[in-house]
Amino acid sequence: MHAGRAAVVTVRVLPQGRDAVLEVEDNGPGIPAPARAGAVRRFRRGEAAAPGMGLGLPVAQEIAGLFGGTLTLAEGAGGRGLRARISLPVISKAATAQESDAIDMKPLQS
């Protein structure tokens, strides 16, 4: 974590429309708005001298994308820190059952 030793980190999971949202917010130095697009590129680091390779946010963005979701970065509460927000589409139980039935119905190929 690059927010510092005294940082407060808040994790939230909440529904929003047809998405499930995971938010991780800290009260550290944050990432200036103009630098956020670059922060999700591999091996790009901010100005902080904290350890790390610059892979955390890019990997989170890629995983979210694999599941049809998105990663957005914003300023934390009160203008401090960073809020990383992953939104993922929720799959209904009915859709999961239909997919399962469709898989079971396919003939096996040898």
Side-chain angles (χ1 to χ4, degrees), residues 50-69:
M53 296 295 296
L55 290 172
L57 291 173
V59 169
Q61 182 178 40
E62 189 167 329
I63 291 170
L66 289 172
F67 289 93

Side-chain angles (χ1 to χ4, degrees), residues 32-49:
R36 290 183 194 140
V40 294
R41 294 182 53 207
R42 290 180 183 203
F43 306 110
R44 296 285 302 264
R45 298 261 321 169
E47 311 250 339

